Amino acid sequence: MEVSYREEGVASAASSVAGRLVADGVPARLAGGDPTLWGEDAEAEAAVRLGWLTLPRSSRELLPALGELAARTRAAGLTNVVLAGMGGSSLAAEIICATGDVPLTVLDTTDPGQVRRALTDRLESTVVVVASKSGSTVETDCHLRIYQRLFADAGLDPAGRVVVVTDPGSPLEQLAADGGHELVLAPPDVGGRYSALSAFGLVPAALAGADVAGLLDEAAEVLPLLSLDTGNPGLDLGAALGGAALAGRDKLLLEDQLSPIFGLPDWIEQLVAESTGKQGRGILPVVGADPNRSGDELVVAIESDVGDVRVDGPLGAQFLVWEYATAVAGLLLEVDPFDQPQVAESKENTTALLALPDLPTGAPAFTDGPVEVYGAATAKDLPGLFAELLHAIPGDGYLAIMAYLDRLAAFDAPVPEGADFEQMTDAWMMADPLTLRTLLALRTDRPVTFGWGPRFLHSTGQYHKGGPQNGVFLQITGVVTEDVAVPGRPYSLGRLQLAQALGDLAALETRGRPAVRLHLTDRAAGVARLLAAAQEA
């Protein structure tokens, strides 16, 4: 595992703060799990959140049981592994499986269309991993209820088709006992976004067929380095992240195009944004963007020379080193890297909205074809609105696009008969809301981020509300034509999804930042109109 500085300013800033950290004994203290590092206010939280430092060794105890569980599920013909989890309970496993080229279906959404795709896929051979640290995550609760009813209606016993991963004492632990489900308890002293090498990352990956023992070996190899004052990749990376942020370079552009690890920036995004974005400070990760070479950017490349910092190493080591580096960056920014005080705000807003007879969507400011526009805007059409939002971004700010849509819907786009792969890719891109990020980024030198809702609420959602208040927010929702009922709950997935969007929008609006909601009355046509308008802006 190696971290190298490729730009003089980064090297200078990192060297300055690293010297201070070493003088304070931080490397050995952090590696030893000292909870006093982040100050008196953070000590109580840190004292029960540093178990990730020992996971490369302690998680090995899971391996025999995981091997037996994987063998039993395969012997029972349960080869379609579905992971129901949000944020830290899903991102690591998704990356482990994608990198290992083993199939895993991830449900980290309340979009009825995306959930329906999973429900109609090989039900008879499906095993569902239900993962929630608290045991009360609303999205995961919905997925579990829906699958339990679906299995029962199909005459399939849910007991052997659901595997529960949770903390001791959570509501899910009791549910697993009552339902006869396989239960794997995770260590309670590991926070969700630091749980990649715990049961949350390992259980679904092992069931899907990934080499989780090799992953732990990779992490264990780098572990002894994390107590060193020199040759410590975690210290080197943390000093670069924190030192650059203190020097004003607080936009972290993550580059991984040449890396054999698939999707690592998505995991880093949650880890860094949710850990550092609080008290008006933070580091904003930007995934999938080209550098603008503006003064507040830091480009970190995974296995590539294109960045200001290069990070090389296998996936297990990457997980551990980025966790350590993020804890160091939090120390330098003087924030608690283990809490998430603003995440609950949007959840509480959602709960309050769901209690109302009807969701208060309001009246649109204007309509542009299949797109209704809600919020304060002087523009009269979408190109004008996009220009207005881009103009509103402060010199040190960013634009965040938040799409509460089906992230797989673009693959339904029609492609020309006999199309080659390039033509198919072009067709998918022009049906993908994610393309909006690229088109708007071409029209500004400020960072443009993109998050799928409600997934991003468990990651950058904390930064949006707790970090620097210099964001401009563009939310996208869409009409639901085929909803999914949630057994035992007074709402459907479609109603929950819209309540989550409205709840988060309300949390953003209370901070006085520009925020608008675009509602697609026809999803496919609406996405096409958004992309066309972005090119006209």
Side-chain angles (χ1 to χ4, degrees):
M1 187 78 195
E2 183 178 2
V3 174
S4 53
Y5 307 145
R6 310 190 63 79
E7 197 262 344
E8 185 176 343
V10 173
S12 176
S15 175
S16 175
V17 298
R20 174 158 56 93
L21 293 168
V22 169
D24 291 341
V26 168
R29 289 171 64 194
L30 176 53
D34 182 351
T36 67
L37 279 170
W38 298 272
E40 185 177 341
D41 291 342
E43 183 176 348
E45 182 79 19
V48 293
R49 288 291 178 265
L50 290 169
W52 53 272
L53 287 159
T54 60
L55 288 176
R57 298 190 182 114
S58 61
S59 285
R60 298 197 71 86
E61 299 172 7
L62 286 173
L63 295 181
L66 288 185
E68 293 173 7
L69 178 59
R72 287 202 309 272
T73 55
R74 282 194 293 268
L78 304 181
T79 56
N80 179 37
V81 183
V82 176
L83 170 59
M86 301 298 297
S89 298
S90 65
L91 285 167
E94 186 170 18
I95 292 161
I96 295 167
C97 291
T99 300
D101 195 26
V102 295
L104 177 70
T105 298
V106 176
L107 282 184
D108 56 1
T109 181
T110 47
D111 185 82
Q114 191 172 333
V115 172
R116 194 180 294 276
R117 291 171 189 275
L119 299 177
T120 56
D121 182 25
R122 296 169 289 165
L123 183 66
E124 70 287 346
S125 59
T126 294
V127 57
V128 182
V129 180
V130 178
S132 169
K133 180 176 175 62
S134 68
S136 58
T137 306
V138 63
E139 300 93 339
T140 307
D141 173 74
C142 290
H143 299 150
L144 174 58
R145 290 171 176 272
I146 291 166
Y147 263 106
Q148 285 179 319
R149 173 67 59 83
L150 193 63
F151 285 139
D153 288 349
L156 302 171
D157 183 6
R161 293 174 173 269
V162 173
V163 176
V164 172
V165 183
T166 191
D167 276 9
S170 85
L172 267 181
E173 181 182 11
Q174 186 60 50
L175 183 145
D178 294 343
H181 305 304
E182 189 78 33
L183 172 67
V184 183
L185 292 175
D189 60 348
V190 178
R193 57 189 178 274
Y194 291 82
S195 65
L197 298 172
S198 77
F200 287 106
L202 301 184
V203 171
L207 290 179
D211 178 12
V212 295
L215 193 78
L216 294 177
D217 289 343
E218 294 163 358
E221 189 171 342
V222 78
L223 185 60
L225 304 179
L226 300 184
S227 61
L228 303 180
D229 292 343
T230 59
N232 179 339
L235 177 66
D236 293 342
L237 181 56
L241 298 177
L246 291 174
R249 299 174 69 171
D250 60 353
K251 309 303 188 298
L252 172 62
L253 274 66
L254 296 163
E255 160 62 45
D256 72 333
Q257 291 186 31
L258 299 179
S259 173
I261 301 172
F262 189 85
L264 186 61
D266 288 333
W267 176 82
I268 295 171
E269 179 183 47
Q270 184 202 10
L271 175 69
V272 172
E274 197 171 30
S275 296
T276 67
K278 53 202 75 168
Q279 299 177 32
R281 299 188 285 275
I283 298 170
L284 176 68
V286 185
V287 176
D290 294 325
N292 290 308
R293 295 300 171 190
S294 56
D296 59 350
E297 288 181 352
L298 174 71
V299 182
V300 175
I302 312 297
E303 315 242 346
S304 169
D305 285 334
V306 301
D308 305 310
V309 179
R310 174 170 177 154
V311 184
D312 292 280
L315 180 55
Q318 292 273 2
F319 280 145
L320 187 60
V321 165
W322 277 97
E323 288 166 349
Y324 185 104
T326 300
V328 170
L331 174 60
L332 292 170
L333 292 174
E334 299 182 358
V335 298
D336 180 353
F338 306 114
D339 70 352
Q340 49 280 332
Q342 275 72 51
V343 168
E345 185 177 350
S346 293
K347 294 180 181 179
E348 292 165 358
N349 288 351
T350 297
T351 300
L353 288 169
L354 287 172
L356 299 175
D358 297 296
L359 296 179
T361 56
F366 67 86
T367 300
D368 186 330
V371 182
E372 296 174 342
V373 178
Y374 295 82
T378 59
K380 301 302 180 185
D381 59 16
L382 283 172
L385 176 69
F386 288 152
E388 191 175 299
L389 290 174
L390 292 171
H391 181 72
I393 306 173
D396 62 347
Y398 64 99
L399 172 66
I401 304 172
M402 307 162 293
Y404 289 79
L405 300 169
D406 177 355
R407 65 174 166 136
L408 302 177
F411 296 114
D412 296 334
V415 297
E417 187 174 348
D420 59 24
F421 183 73
E422 184 175 348
Q423 292 170 316
M424 293 171 65
T425 301
D426 288 343
W428 294 332
M429 284 183 59
M430 294 316 297
D432 192 345
L434 181 57
T435 303
L436 182 62
R437 191 209 66 76
T438 302
L439 294 175
L440 293 180
L442 292 173
R443 287 157 176 76
T444 179
D445 62 358
R446 303 310 307 146
V448 180
T449 66
F450 187 97
W452 294 104
R455 179 169 105 163
F456 79 88
L457 293 177
H458 299 257
S459 58
T460 50
Q462 166 64 40
Y463 182 95
H464 292 164
K465 295 176 282 290
Q469 294 304 293
N470 53 18
V472 174
F473 301 97
L474 178 62
Q475 185 186 88
I476 308 172
T477 58
V479 66
V480 173
T481 55
E482 290 186 86
D483 211 340
V484 177
V486 181
R489 290 288 183 250
Y491 49 78
S492 64
L493 284 184
R495 180 176 168 85
L496 173 59
Q497 182 185 40
L498 183 56
Q500 289 176 313
L502 297 176
D504 191 51
L505 194 63
L508 296 170
E509 289 173 339
T510 61
R511 288 160 171 80
R513 297 305 309 156
V516 299
R517 179 171 71 95
L518 309 181
H519 185 69
L520 313 183
T521 55
D522 178 307
R523 291 199 180 199
V527 170
R529 178 59 193 139
L530 294 182
L531 301 188
Q535 295 176 78
E536 299 168 21

